[in-house]
Amino acid sequence: MSRSIRKLDHIEHALSTGPSLTHGFDDLKFIHNSLPEVNYKQINLSTKIGELSLSSPIFINAMTGGGGERTKEVNRQLAEVAKETGIGMAVGSQMAALRDPSQQDSFRIVRETYPHGTILANLGSEATVEQAKVAVDMLEASALQIHLNVIQELVMPEGDRDFAFTIERIEKIVASLNVPIIVKEVGFGMSKETVQTLTSIGVMAVDVGGYGGTNFSKVENRRRNNQLDFFDEWGITTACSLIEAYHAVGDVYVISSGGLRSAIDLAKSIALGASAGGFAGYFLEVLMKHGQLALIDEIQKIHEELRLIMTAVQAKTLFELQKKPLIISGDTYHWASQRGFDVSIFSRR
Ligand code: FNR
């Protein structure tokens, strides 16, 4: 099957399999404050991911490009939405455009549409330094996302099963590029150990890409005959991944993603230490089912609701929200306890 048909399959199957909705955010609760000494008008949603300054913590996470005109049109529409709402945007893997230059248009449209936006380039961890440079130049990108998608490759009928020297390749890219590197998962989450390894090789930020949203095991199982459905339940939830990342030693920015659909998911992510939140499947669903204006409304609604939540917990800035107490229960509590993480550091601060 050609790469460009696969890109269209991914959109169709991501929409039809839907999110797992088991991201773990339901296990988290803010502590009510009856005396929040703050004015709603003072709430500031700006954030920083290393040297990237963003006016909103929301960004559109990597999805598409490389599937001809249809993916070019999806990227154009997403870029218009990102521009209108002032948020950042990542493109899907640009490997398709490196292998077939006629596909470059389907990615370049994003920079053409949103000339001053924060745009993230995207490649898989098989990429070489040269390929990484070309991908960044193609978009005049603000940063490069490198995705880790082991389970997807294992389930994908035509998947790549050689994961040796991944760390070394990423390390070379970090050392050679003049934009920051963000390493992301695609919905299976990240452990403390993974985050620590990535931090130790100089990665600027990790996007935990947790379990609970778009499920690439289910997507790829749709594309094969003998089902590897044991991988459908595989992964670290987004909430648990954020707790894992919080406990990693070293200096790294953390981005939340994996099943984010609302302001409360985002607020809880930030209280678990994230600096921003990536939305992929949910935004695609709104765009495809209801159109661009509906997606713009939805993003504005999430901004507005995030401000309301920040007012309720008395956090004028996202930095203050990162320090607000959270009670952790259920499976997320059990996971954290089994892993030796003392969750009272979140509830008693
Ligand atoms: C993706 N995702 C993705 N990620 C990546 O790094 N490169 C890519 O090319 C793609 N392609 C892609 C296509 C489609 C149709 C979807 C829905 C998603 C993964 C995406 O960025 C994100 O990590 C996961 O989808 C989990 O987030 P959500 O969808 O639960 O918000």
Side-chain angles (χ1 to χ4, degrees):
M1 173 173 291
S2 85
R3 193 178 280 264
S4 61
I5 292 175
R6 189 163 87 220
K7 301 294 161 188
L8 299 174
D9 272 5
H10 281 162
I11 292 178
E12 187 193 322
H13 295 319
L15 290 173
S16 64
T17 52
S20 313
L21 295 180
T22 47
H23 43 39
F25 291 123
D26 294 344
D27 291 337
L28 313 176
K29 268 196 176 2
F30 284 109
I31 298 173
H32 172 59
N33 176 359
S34 305
L35 292 169
E37 291 271 332
V38 64
N39 179 341
Y40 167 85
K41 290 187 190 145
Q42 292 173 294
I43 304 294
N44 178 342
L45 296 185
S46 67
T47 190
K48 265 184 173 289
I49 309 171
E51 62 206 60
L52 302 179
S53 292
L54 303 157
S55 57
S56 160
I58 301 174
F59 72 98
I60 300 174
N61 219 343
M63 281 188 277
T64 204
E69 280 304 312
R70 267 195 63 200
T71 57
K72 179 176 175 184
E73 178 57 17
V74 173
N75 270 341
R76 187 185 63 74
Q77 292 192 13
L78 288 171
E80 280 174 2
V81 169
K83 185 178 173 193
E84 180 65 28
T85 53
I87 67 175
M89 172 176 169
V91 298
S93 175
Q94 292 163 262
M95 195 51 86
L98 299 182
R99 302 246 159 92
D100 173 4
S102 73
Q103 295 289 348
Q104 289 193 10
D105 270 10
S106 64
F107 297 97
R108 284 217 171 100
I109 186 75
V110 172
R111 179 53 81 196
E112 284 161 28
T113 307
Y114 194 5
H116 303 296
T118 298
I119 306 295
L120 310 180
N122 185 289
L123 281 176
S125 57
E126 74 279 16
T128 62
V129 169
E130 262 325 295
Q131 289 173 326
K133 284 183 178 163
V134 175
V136 168
D137 289 347
M138 196 186 298
L139 296 174
E140 296 160 59
S142 322
L144 170 68
Q145 289 184 327
I146 298 178
H147 64 259
L148 306 176
N149 65 340
V150 171
I151 301 297
Q152 182 186 7
E153 294 289 350
L154 293 177
V155 182
M156 197 189 292
E158 67 275 38
D160 181 0
R161 275 107 203 248
D162 180 1
F163 305 109
F165 304 109
T166 301
I167 300 170
E168 199 178 302
R169 278 193 302 275
I170 297 174
E171 191 171 16
K172 282 191 183 144
I173 292 175
V174 169
S176 314
L177 264 73
N178 54 11
V179 294
I181 307 299
I182 301 169
V183 177
K184 74 184 284 281
E185 247 290 348
V186 300
F188 301 95
M190 278 191 200
S191 69
K192 169 184 152 181
E193 292 76 13
T194 298
V195 174
Q196 269 174 202
T197 302
L198 294 170
T199 307
S200 73
I201 58 170
V203 165
M204 186 265 295
V206 292
D207 173 341
V208 297
Y211 183 86
T214 304
N215 185 322
F216 268 95
S217 174
K218 287 189 185 164
V219 168
E220 297 299 347
N221 267 319
R222 286 273 168 102
R223 304 178 56 247
R224 57 181 294 137
N225 295 328
N226 64 322
Q227 299 290 291
L228 302 180
D229 48 12
F230 47 89
F231 280 132
D232 290 357
E233 315 290 323
W234 189 285
I236 307 174
T237 67
T238 305
C240 289
S241 297
L242 291 169
I243 295 171
E244 294 270 341
Y246 190 93
H247 288 87
V249 176
D251 222 2
V252 73
Y253 286 82
V254 177
I255 297 169
S256 173
S257 76
L260 298 194
R261 296 173 77 83
S262 66
I264 192 73
D265 294 344
L266 183 56
K268 288 173 177 177
S269 297
I270 292 164
L272 285 181
S275 299
F279 292 63
Y282 179 53
F283 282 178
L284 183 69
E285 182 191 318
V286 175
L287 179 72
M288 294 303 196
K289 289 191 183 157
H290 307 290
Q292 269 181 306
L293 287 179
L295 183 54
I296 291 168
D297 282 352
E298 183 60 21
I299 294 167
Q300 283 166 347
K301 187 180 104 184
I302 298 173
H303 279 149
E304 159 76 8
E305 290 179 358
L306 183 59
R307 285 196 173 90
L308 297 177
I309 295 165
M310 289 170 70
T311 306
V313 298
Q314 193 177 342
K316 286 199 287 291
T317 63
L318 297 180
F319 189 64
E320 286 178 19
L321 182 57
Q322 283 180 328
K323 300 195 189 74
K324 292 295 162 185
L326 273 178
I327 301 293
I328 301 178
S329 63
D331 287 348
T332 307
Y333 172 81
H334 288 296
W335 175 283
S337 307
Q338 294 269 314
R339 292 279 288 156
F341 304 139
D342 177 7
V343 292
S344 70
I345 59 168
F346 297 107
S347 57
R348 294 188 197 161
R349 57 191 182 184

